[in-house]
């Protein structure tokens, strides 16, 4: 290609760091999940009707709905799932690709966080990645409402209720973004959600991915020092002007093809054998009924859990605190973290998390908090499992959510601090390779 196209640049020979653990490939998994989301979403979008009013007579294979007049959105998803060839398969591909997209971004950010490579000069790219995660969560929320069945209607309504609790601007914000409340004004809201889900947010995500990749290429990859130490050709193991690794073509390109194929295969396997399908069971959206066991998708369960543990006596203020203030604080700290854990010197190599007591303790505490609040969001299932009441679980769950993350963070900090002291060090900067 270089000879035929006279490229004459170093891009094809750009070095990609050696990756002993495969963790550097999580970003590629997220990227390829987005590609599959775009492809399957195009297929589904061409067949979907963003219509909330009843006016479409269903004449497909689901006998319980045959001949009935249904909301256009519900009828179109029913038709995609049961009457279009490969419709259910592509819909489930979209479903599992969305889950993997969010999970891969989160795991990728875990790797970046715990290895400390978000610091100088990569603060901006961490912020871009944080916004990508937030947009992915927003996409998941909006896509959840599109089938307009009774389950998704109820779950989506929770998000609208949370927004409405924002003092002064809550109601106006809902009208500005979506055209009104949901499901009371669903005939206006649903087309807007469809537009945001299939065009505006995907375009923003694609643009930020391009920015993210551009910054990555411009700033070079970070490396695992342990992998560099095994390269005998490098005399100065601390030389930041080079990257020890394999070239983009053909080595990394071949690995990229493998990762894409593996990602596609896993999502296809899940779509074929694990179709998460309830639309025919729950039926179309009904403003007058609420199906049992309604919870948000797993990636928003932590917000729902915060709402569950906030004392009910606080009323709308509690919903505002649990649904808006606390999640905003968590997200805000995530975005600006590189400026909290700052570095005046440029960081080239990934750091062992065990050599960073404070940041690692914060990360463990944050993950514990997300896990426990997600558990609190499933309080009805917990109450049923242990044959107790939801009310009886309120105080224990509140104590767990507040106390355990702090306790875990303190334990991790002092254990890792003690580890440094045993090595005769006081900071991670004093740890040398091989210590």
């Amino acid at each position: 290609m270089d000879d035929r196209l006279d490229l004459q640049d170093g891009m094809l020979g750009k070095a990609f760091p050696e990756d002993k653990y495969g963790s550097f490939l999580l970003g590629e998994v997220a990227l390829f999940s987005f590609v599959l989301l775009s492809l399957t979403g195009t297929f589904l979008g061409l067949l979907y009707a963003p219509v909330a009013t009843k006016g479409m007579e269903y004449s497909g294979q689901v006998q319980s709905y045959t001949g009935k007049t249904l909301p256009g959105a519900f009828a179109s998803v029913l038709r995609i799932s049961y009457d279009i060839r490969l419709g259910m398969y592509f819909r489930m591909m979209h479903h599992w690709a969305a889950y993997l997209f969010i999970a891969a971004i989160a795991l990728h950010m875990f790797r970046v966080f715990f290895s400390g490579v978000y610091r100088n000069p990569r603060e901006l790219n961490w912020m871009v990645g944080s916004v990508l995660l937030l947009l992915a969560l927003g996409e998941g929320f909006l896509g959840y409402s599109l089938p307009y069945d009774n389950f998704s209607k109820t779950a989506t309504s929770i998000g609208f209720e949370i927004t409405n609790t924002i003092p002064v601007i809550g109601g106006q914000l809902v009208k500005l973004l979506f055209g009104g409340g949901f499901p009371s004004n669903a005939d206006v809201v649903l087309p807007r959600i469809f537009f945001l889900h299939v065009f505006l947010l995907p375009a923003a995500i694609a643009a930020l991915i391009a920015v993210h990749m551009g910054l990555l290429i411009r700033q070079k990859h970070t490396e695992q020092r342990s992998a560099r130490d095994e390269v005998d050709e490098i005399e100065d193991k601390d030389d930041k002007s080079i990257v020890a690794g394999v070239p983009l073509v053909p080595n990394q390109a071949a690995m990229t093809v493998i990762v894409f194929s593996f990602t596609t295969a896993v999502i296809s396997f899940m779509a074929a054998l694990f179709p998460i399908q309830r639309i025919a069971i729950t039926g179309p959206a009904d403003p007058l009924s609420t199906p049992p066991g309604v919870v948000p998708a797993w990636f928003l369960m932590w917000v729902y859990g915060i709402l569950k543990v906030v004392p009910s006596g606080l009323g709308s203020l509690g919903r505002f605190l649990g649904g808006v203030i606390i999640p905003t604080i968590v997200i805000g700290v995530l975005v600006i973290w590189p400026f909290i854990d700052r570095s005046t010197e440029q960081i080239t190599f990934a750091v062992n998390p065990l050599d960073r007591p404070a940041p690692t303790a914060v990360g463990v505490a944050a993950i514990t908090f997300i896990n426990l609040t997600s558990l609190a969001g499933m309080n009805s299932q917990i109450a049923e499992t242990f044959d107790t009441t939801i009310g009886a679980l309120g105080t224990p769950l509140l104590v767990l959510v507040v106390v355990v993350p702090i306790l875990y963070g303190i334990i991790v900090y002092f254990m890792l601090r003690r580890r440094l002291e045993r090595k005769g060090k006081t900071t991670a900067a004093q740890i040398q390779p091989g210590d």
Side-chain angles (χ1 to χ4, degrees):
M1 288 181 63
D2 186 50
D3 180 59
R4 297 296 187 272
L5 302 179
D6 194 24
L7 298 178
Q8 293 185 353
D9 62 35
M11 186 59 198
L12 296 181
K14 175 178 170 57
F16 281 74
E18 292 285 354
D19 183 14
K20 295 176 65 175
Y21 312 108
S23 61
F24 283 18
L25 300 176
L26 288 168
E28 292 192 18
V29 172
L31 173 63
F32 297 142
S33 297
F34 179 71
V35 170
L36 293 174
L37 278 170
S38 301
L39 295 174
T40 55
T42 300
F43 173 85
L44 298 173
L46 293 173
L47 299 170
Y48 175 76
V51 180
T53 54
K54 290 186 177 182
M56 182 179 293
E57 181 177 333
Y58 177 74
S59 57
Q61 299 183 45
V62 185
Q63 295 183 358
S64 57
Y65 295 105
T66 301
K68 293 183 179 180
T69 301
L70 304 170
F74 178 84
S76 65
V77 175
L78 202 65
R79 180 170 171 265
I80 291 170
S81 302
Y82 295 102
D83 304 311
I84 300 295
R85 186 182 298 274
L86 294 179
M88 177 72 83
Y89 172 73
F90 281 112
R91 186 176 166 222
M92 290 300 104
M93 280 275 288
H94 196 72
H95 171 90
W96 288 112
Y99 278 15
L100 185 59
F101 180 53
I102 295 172
I105 292 177
L107 292 174
H108 178 59
M109 293 188 73
F110 286 166
R111 197 274 303 174
V112 172
F113 178 88
F114 284 108
S115 60
V117 296
Y118 52 78
R119 294 174 292 173
N120 182 5
R122 296 174 177 83
E123 301 96 335
L124 179 59
N125 224 6
W126 170 268
M127 297 177 73
V128 171
S130 299
V131 175
L132 274 171
L133 176 60
L134 296 179
L135 290 178
L137 295 177
E139 271 285 72
F141 170 75
L142 295 176
Y144 209 65
S145 64
L146 292 180
Y148 201 55
D149 62 310
N150 211 24
F151 191 97
S152 65
K153 176 269 302 181
T154 305
T156 304
S157 299
I158 297 172
F160 278 80
E161 291 173 6
I162 292 174
T163 307
N164 272 319
T165 62
I166 302 176
V168 183
I169 65 171
Q172 297 301 320
L173 190 62
V174 168
K175 290 180 181 178
L176 176 65
L177 293 176
F178 303 107
F182 187 86
S184 59
N185 201 29
D187 56 334
V188 175
V189 174
L190 207 59
R192 291 199 183 193
I193 289 179
F194 179 66
F195 170 77
L196 292 170
H197 182 72
V198 304
F199 179 75
L200 194 58
L201 289 190
I205 290 174
L208 284 178
I209 289 175
V211 172
H212 192 69
M213 298 297 293
L215 288 172
L216 179 66
I217 293 172
R218 176 67 177 173
Q219 296 178 332
K220 297 193 299 184
H221 293 75
T222 54
E223 298 182 58
Q224 293 169 344
R225 190 186 292 271
S226 58
R228 170 179 280 230
D229 290 340
E230 297 175 3
V231 181
D232 296 332
E233 290 79 4
I234 301 178
E235 296 182 1
D236 184 359
K237 302 300 183 181
D238 293 321
D239 187 355
K240 299 179 181 180
S241 64
I242 61 174
V243 175
V246 298
L248 172 60
V249 177
N251 304 63
Q252 187 62 29
M255 178 59 68
T256 297
V257 172
I258 293 172
V259 174
F260 177 75
S261 301
F262 184 75
T263 303
T264 305
V266 169
I267 293 174
S268 181
F269 175 82
M270 297 296 289
L273 298 184
F274 299 95
I276 307 300
Q277 182 51 251
R278 54 175 169 261
I279 183 172
I281 300 173
T282 59
D286 182 1
L288 302 179
S289 69
T290 300
V294 174
V295 293
W298 62 269
F299 48 82
L300 292 174
M301 188 70 74
W302 64 280
V303 179
Y304 190 60
I306 296 174
L307 286 170
K308 290 289 187 179
V309 298
V310 171
S312 58
L314 295 177
S316 60
L317 176 60
R319 291 192 293 273
F320 175 59
L321 290 172
V324 179
I325 296 298
I326 297 177
T328 299
I329 292 173
V330 173
I331 292 168
V333 172
L334 171 73
V335 174
I336 68 171
W337 181 257
F339 303 100
I340 298 174
D341 179 28
R342 294 186 301 161
S343 173
T344 56
E345 297 182 359
Q346 290 195 358
I347 305 298
T348 302
F349 301 107
V351 182
N352 186 344
L354 301 181
D355 295 336
R356 287 164 34 89
T360 299
V362 170
V364 170
I367 292 174
T368 304
F369 176 78
I370 296 297
N371 286 339
L372 289 177
T373 49
S374 299
L375 189 67
M378 298 181 284
N379 61 350
S380 58
Q381 289 86 344
I382 296 173
E384 182 178 350
T385 301
F386 292 97
D387 193 24
T388 185
T389 63
I390 294 177
L393 291 175
T395 301
L397 287 175
L398 178 61
V399 172
L400 284 175
V401 167
V402 173
V403 174
V404 173
I406 297 174
L407 180 62
Y408 277 21
I410 292 173
I411 292 173
V412 169
Y413 174 78
F414 282 104
M415 287 178 64
L416 297 186
R417 188 74 181 180
R418 177 58 179 162
R419 177 180 179 272
L420 290 182
E421 291 173 354
R422 287 202 308 270
K423 291 176 175 289
K425 313 295 181 180
T426 58
T427 65
Q430 294 177 307
I431 297 292
Q432 300 298 322
D435 278 1

